[in-house]
Amino acid sequence: MHTRRTPRRARTAAGLLAAALLIAGCSSGGTETTASSSAQEAAALAPLPGPTPAALAPYYGQKPAWRDCGAPGFQCATLKAPRDYAAPSAGDVRLAVARKKATGPGKRLGSLLVNPGGPGGSAIAYLQGYAGIGYPAGVRARYDMVAVDPRGVARSEPVECLDGREMDAYTRTDVTPDDTKETNTLVTAYRRFAEGCGADAPELLRHVSTVEAARDMDIVRAALGDKKLNYVGASYGTFLGATYAGLFPQRAGRLVLDGAMDPSLPARRLNLEQTEGFDTAFTAFAKDCVRHGDCPLGGRGTAPGQVGKNLKAFFERLDARPIPTGDADGRRLTESLATMGVIAAMYDEGAWEQLREALTAAMKDKDGAGLLVLSDSYYERDAKGEYSNLMFANAAVNCLDLPPAFDSPDEVRRALPDFEKASPVFGEGLAWASLNCAYWPVRATGEAQRIEARGAAPIVVVGTTRDPATPYRWAEALAGQLDSARLLTYEGDGHTAYGRGSACIDSAINTYLLEGTPPTDGKRCS
């Protein structure tokens, strides 16, 4: 998805978007419950009737007209889906699809759809930048590697909200307001963002839900000529894949859900638990940082809690006085940009050295360039000051999938103790970031619900024990809901597990994809 990165970073950039899912996403109000009780209380997603409705037959009968699309070895096509499945005659959505045909040798196993997460990540960019060239050769030999950008994302009628200059201002907005004036400034920023999205795509904005994107995938499956959907989804892509299985359990083929989400949780709880996940990842980073002589947050033996206090104090200094970055557009490093830079590096332990260097430059030399680079990579801002539609689609999907976490700043203030307990470093900012859907121009159409997918073939659910963005408990919860799930655990750091260096994980998933044999439920790898 983030094709500007090195191959190793591209593998985990799918995960980078999960933070956007909840940091920039919306949350559901209601009582604070445990994950297990939430799953028990949530209704189950009901499967759709097996036969294809007559009104949808023209969509299911499409044949893609493949064409070259700029990347050697890849072909592209456009398919149509009804904008509103309840009223198929009311208009279409154009879906961008790309593939790289199976290279052989070996019997072709059909298509393997991939999705890198988000919501808002471009599946086509992920396919062309990593999956279509970096997935194991055996998998690429026997599957046509396929990606479809979900509706509202990247090449599939992308939602747009702000221009580059407006997004620069938005990303610098203080999300730890100290008084009424700063609170009003933050609320105004959320309102302007929402108004921009509403003005750009007033009709589409009502129809970019995960359920609709999952139904689109079934149209793509049919157009590809596959009886069942084979799929690898990361981060939010696990929610999309699980939703597909819940709606079409009999059409679910070999599904890998890596970095799993728990669909039974209301979004406030999702945000709170993700906040805990970032704290877990930061603790691991803090322990590693102080082992190095160049750690600017503490010397050898400094406790993680003190490392966090030192970072929080640095953020507070930036809140009062941003520092230069050398940016061509004159941007200075604010508290919000620095925080996002640190969060971005939590997704992959391979970025920890880069983060140490960036923090050293900022804290000791008042040079914020390194942290700005990390923040820009998270937001997908290019050197020309233009942003992808990642954050726009992210909010559009999240604000439709679940009711808003908080309806007012007062509700955020009341929740601050819980969020700050979950993460003394990030909790305050992540709580306030959960307010944005309160001002969304479209009411949510979804709700938290269990996904059981009774009757589906075995589904592999993958969780990483110190995952920052999709806490391990979510993988346990999803595996507990899916009727045919096999839980595969990676004991380690970073977001997602497949293709991140564990031969044990990769072997288990490759065997499943190529032979159809899932790992033993509860298998653990390191």
Side-chain angles (χ1 to χ4, degrees):
M1 117 180 55
H2 288 253
T3 55
R4 295 188 298 276
R5 298 174 178 227
T6 64
R8 172 172 169 77
R9 295 290 291 154
R11 296 177 192 179
T12 56
L16 205 90
L17 299 184
L21 165 69
L22 301 178
I23 292 170
C26 53
S27 298
S28 165
T31 57
E32 294 297 333
T33 59
T34 65
S36 59
S37 64
S38 291
Q40 293 169 359
E41 294 169 4
L45 177 65
L48 291 169
T52 300
L56 298 181
Y59 297 102
Y60 275 82
Q62 296 176 91
K63 301 298 181 184
W66 296 107
R67 63 187 185 279
D68 291 337
C69 51
F74 292 88
Q75 297 173 307
C76 290
T78 301
L79 296 173
K80 293 181 180 179
R83 184 172 59 215
D84 182 356
Y85 277 91
S89 62
D92 298 333
V93 171
R94 295 180 301 277
L95 301 174
V97 185
R99 75 172 180 182
K100 186 175 185 183
K101 297 186 70 173
T103 58
K107 181 181 178 181
R108 180 181 174 277
L109 295 174
S111 305
L112 180 65
L113 269 70
V114 295
N115 183 280
S122 171
I124 292 177
Y126 178 70
L127 175 72
Q128 295 179 343
Y130 172 61
I133 55 177
Y135 264 36
V139 174
R140 291 183 285 114
R142 300 185 63 192
Y143 283 100
D144 290 347
M145 301 293 295
V146 178
V148 54
D149 280 347
R151 51 175 63 200
V153 174
R155 305 184 193 188
S156 295
E157 300 194 18
V159 174
E160 301 289 344
C161 304
L162 303 175
D163 63 25
R165 188 177 297 275
E166 292 168 334
M167 268 300 285
D168 280 347
Y170 181 77
T171 59
R172 292 196 301 267
T173 303
D174 186 357
V175 292
T176 57
D178 300 317
D179 52 35
T180 300
K181 181 179 178 181
E182 290 187 353
T183 300
N184 291 340
T185 298
L186 179 60
V187 168
T188 297
Y190 287 150
R191 288 187 185 278
R192 287 176 177 168
F193 185 96
E195 289 168 359
C197 296
D200 175 73
E203 294 301 322
L204 181 60
L205 216 60
R206 294 175 170 82
H207 298 288
V208 291
S209 70
T210 298
V211 165
E212 288 162 315
R215 297 189 70 172
D216 292 345
M217 286 204 302
D218 200 50
I219 289 176
V220 173
R221 173 202 59 77
L224 294 171
D226 294 324
K227 292 183 178 180
K228 293 192 174 185
L229 179 84
N230 302 309
Y231 175 86
V232 177
S235 197
Y236 162 80
T238 68
F239 179 35
L240 180 59
T243 299
Y244 180 89
L247 294 173
F248 307 102
Q250 302 303 324
R251 298 176 193 167
R254 300 172 188 179
L255 270 59
V256 177
L257 309 180
D258 184 11
M261 289 184 58
D262 179 359
S264 74
L265 297 180
R268 183 188 299 187
R269 188 72 201 185
L270 281 170
N271 282 14
L272 185 63
E273 292 191 6
Q274 191 187 53
T275 300
E276 293 173 349
F278 279 111
D279 197 66
T280 297
F282 179 76
T283 297
F285 164 75
K287 291 178 179 179
D288 179 78
C289 186
V290 298
R291 296 190 187 106
H292 296 81
D294 63 344
C295 180
L297 298 171
R300 185 174 294 273
T302 304
Q306 185 59 51
V307 172
K309 290 179 181 178
N310 294 342
L311 181 60
K312 183 69 172 176
F314 169 62
F315 287 159
E316 290 171 353
R317 292 195 297 273
L318 289 176
D319 189 26
R321 184 171 296 179
I323 62 175
T325 64
D327 177 61
D329 294 316
R331 292 178 299 158
R332 298 173 72 85
L333 185 71
T334 62
E335 178 189 16
S336 57
L337 289 173
T339 301
M340 195 55 67
V342 173
I343 284 175
M346 293 299 99
Y347 286 86
D348 181 3
E349 66 274 23
W352 289 356
E353 179 180 2
Q354 180 183 359
L355 177 58
R356 286 199 316 273
E357 294 172 353
L359 284 169
T360 298
M363 297 176 71
K364 295 185 176 180
D365 302 326
K366 290 186 168 49
D367 177 4
L371 285 173
L372 186 63
V373 166
L374 285 166
S375 179
D376 283 351
S377 72
Y378 179 90
Y379 286 118
E380 293 195 347
R381 182 191 192 272
D382 65 24
K384 297 179 180 179
E386 297 298 324
Y387 291 76
S388 76
N389 95 309
L390 165 63
M391 290 299 167
F392 311 142
N394 182 273
V397 174
N398 285 323
C399 294
L400 203 60
D401 275 351
L402 290 172
F406 303 111
D407 291 325
S408 69
D410 286 341
E411 287 191 6
V412 177
R413 293 188 186 97
R414 288 194 291 271
L416 281 176
D418 288 337
F419 277 79
E420 291 177 319
K421 180 180 179 181
S423 175
V425 178
F426 304 119
E428 181 184 7
L430 298 190
W432 281 105
S434 305
L435 181 61
N436 72 324
C437 284
Y439 309 102
W440 203 245
V442 177
R443 291 180 62 86
T445 57
E447 60 183 2
Q449 51 193 342
R450 301 191 319 278
I451 299 180
E452 299 174 348
R454 294 187 180 276
I459 298 172
V460 176
V461 176
V462 188
T464 298
T465 55
R466 293 185 294 279
D467 192 311
T470 51
Y472 178 67
R473 70 175 73 174
W474 291 359
E476 293 179 303
L478 181 59
Q481 294 167 44
L482 290 169
D483 185 57
S484 61
R486 304 290 189 272
L487 178 62
L488 177 62
T489 299
Y490 174 54
E491 296 177 345
D493 297 296
H495 183 46
T496 72
Y498 187 42
R500 284 179 43 81
S502 170
C504 174
I505 290 287
D506 292 354
S507 176
I509 292 176
N510 293 340
T511 298
Y512 171 64
L513 290 175
L514 294 173
E515 301 176 14
T517 304
T520 303
D521 187 33
K523 180 179 177 64
R524 301 181 77 89
C525 297
S526 58

